[in-house]
Amino acid sequence: MTDNTHNDALIDQFSSARFQQEGNLIVPKLPICLVDRPTDKYSILSGSYLRDDDDTLDTMGRANRVQYDYETPGTYSVGSYGFVHDIPGKRLRNMDPAIQRKEKLRVSMINTGKLVTNRDRRGALQIMNSTAMSGYTAAVAADDQINNETSSPFKMFSDYMVTIRRQCGYEVNTYFWADDVWQAFCQHPDVMYRTDPLRPKSADMQRVNELFENFKMGGIQHIIGKASYNTAKQGLTPVYDDIWKDGITLAYVDYSSITEDTDSFVKVFVERGRAGVRNYYFKESNNQDQDSLTCRTEVDYQVKLTNAACGYYLSDCLL
């Protein structure tokens, strides 16, 4: 970069707000843990603290000495990601100053949109991935699949919520839904007829929350992943696919997580002082047209399962 490099804070704000619809993304809704180093370790408490240890003081008033076990320490590593895009000088010279600023905004928005899409893809590889959730995942049997009209989804959810509470000691407070599964759930007869027995209809978020309350499963935050992406490489025919699909993950998420050691199913690690998307504009010395402008957009983060035992991933939810 040369001395012509500068950061445009206003464009940073606009580009971060106007990519894919924010409601379609899951990662922006996860707790952020600010860290002082880009890479470090954190402790993971095992289920030993749930042991049946004797807490009775002896005749001398001494307490039972206990040892709590820790899993192999977890490691986070904040990654750095970015794109650059050149705006040709000839195009810029043909624009009024106000239009030049809009062109800069357009380029930064595209770069930002690609970065946050990739961030949700990395999130899906943690939250809805059988390998990452090894030991805490199950394929839903055909009789229990969400679009099977005779299945009992509330019974299945209740059973897994008990499993999670027993294995980690926390109550489930979050459901991560792939949108195709959410749509099937909202149209499941068990949901539609409970919404209105006389005129059954697909349920909305408010009604779903009420139904969960009725089943003594209140206080659940339902986060729905709707983002899509083009799976083809540059220059090839676009092929579109959903990032989040055919799965549900039930979890305990500590939304106040601010340290590495706070127990939570998932966190987004961000190095202190490097939060958010950043846009820079500069003139590269090797540009043939010295009036050309280069936009560099970058972001630093890691989406990390900090304790998989605080969740359960259900795959193959649809027939």
Side-chain angles (χ1 to χ4, degrees), residues 58-261:
D58 67 15
T59 56
M60 300 295 292
R62 291 172 298 201
N64 182 23
R65 188 178 301 277
V66 294
Q67 180 65 42
Y68 299 127
D69 301 323
Y70 287 83
E71 308 283 359
T72 301
T75 301
Y76 70 83
S77 181
V78 176
S80 299
Y81 310 97
F83 290 111
V84 295
H85 181 84
D86 296 322
I87 306 175
K90 187 174 183 179
R91 185 191 301 172
L92 284 172
R93 292 195 300 273
N94 201 41
M95 297 175 178
D96 295 330
I99 304 300
Q100 289 180 5
R101 187 170 180 81
K102 288 184 178 180
E103 177 68 5
K104 291 167 62 180
L105 177 59
R106 183 187 69 85
V107 171
S108 67
M109 286 173 58
I110 294 172
N111 278 352
T112 299
K114 289 172 67 64
L115 288 173
V116 298
T117 297
N118 285 347
R119 185 176 59 185
D120 245 46
R121 290 175 63 191
R122 291 187 177 93
L125 290 175
Q126 296 287 303
I127 295 171
M128 287 190 189
N129 182 280
S130 296
T131 301
M133 291 292 294
S134 179
Y136 306 101
T137 182
V140 178
D143 289 346
D144 295 324
Q145 288 175 312
I146 301 299
N147 55 348
N148 182 338
E149 294 187 354
T150 62
S151 66
S152 301
F154 289 105
K155 173 65 168 61
M156 179 177 68
F157 295 156
S158 177
D159 290 345
Y160 278 107
M161 288 176 68
V162 171
T163 297
I164 295 168
R165 175 171 52 78
R166 286 175 175 170
Q167 71 193 18
C168 73
Y170 300 108
E171 293 284 356
V172 169
N173 64 353
T174 304
Y175 279 36
F176 297 102
W177 299 78
D179 185 56
D180 53 358
V181 180
W182 171 257
Q183 297 299 331
F185 174 72
C186 290
Q187 297 174 44
H188 190 283
D190 204 23
V191 175
M192 294 175 63
Y193 280 91
R194 292 177 190 277
T195 299
D196 190 336
L198 298 179
R199 294 177 298 173
K201 59 183 178 180
S202 179
D204 57 16
M205 181 66 77
Q206 178 180 348
R207 186 57 184 141
V208 167
N209 284 327
E210 292 172 356
L211 290 176
F212 271 82
E213 289 280 357
N214 292 343
F215 280 93
K216 309 301 182 184
M217 295 186 288
I220 303 294
Q221 181 170 351
H222 298 280
I223 302 179
I224 306 161
K226 300 181 180 181
S228 61
Y229 73 109
N230 176 12
T231 65
K233 300 298 182 182
Q234 183 171 318
L236 299 180
T237 302
V239 179
Y240 298 102
D241 198 7
D242 292 325
I243 294 174
W244 308 86
K245 55 186 178 181
D246 200 11
I248 312 170
T249 297
L250 289 63
Y252 164 74
V253 179
D254 186 349
Y255 290 96
S256 63
S257 291
I258 56 174
T259 69
E260 300 93 314
D261 295 320

Side-chain angles (χ1 to χ4, degrees), residues 19-36:
F19 40 79
Q20 289 207 50
Q21 289 179 304
E22 177 124 6
N24 292 347
L25 302 166
I26 282 183
V27 173
K29 303 175 180 68
L30 302 180
I32 292 177
C33 178
L34 295 177
V35 292
D36 295 318

Side-chain angles (χ1 to χ4, degrees), residues 44-63:
I44 304 175
L45 185 65
S46 74
S48 64
Y49 76 99
L50 296 173
R51 271 192 322 248
D52 181 20
D53 293 319
D54 185 6
D55 61 358
T56 305
L57 301 183
D58 67 15
T59 56
M60 300 295 292
R62 291 172 298 201

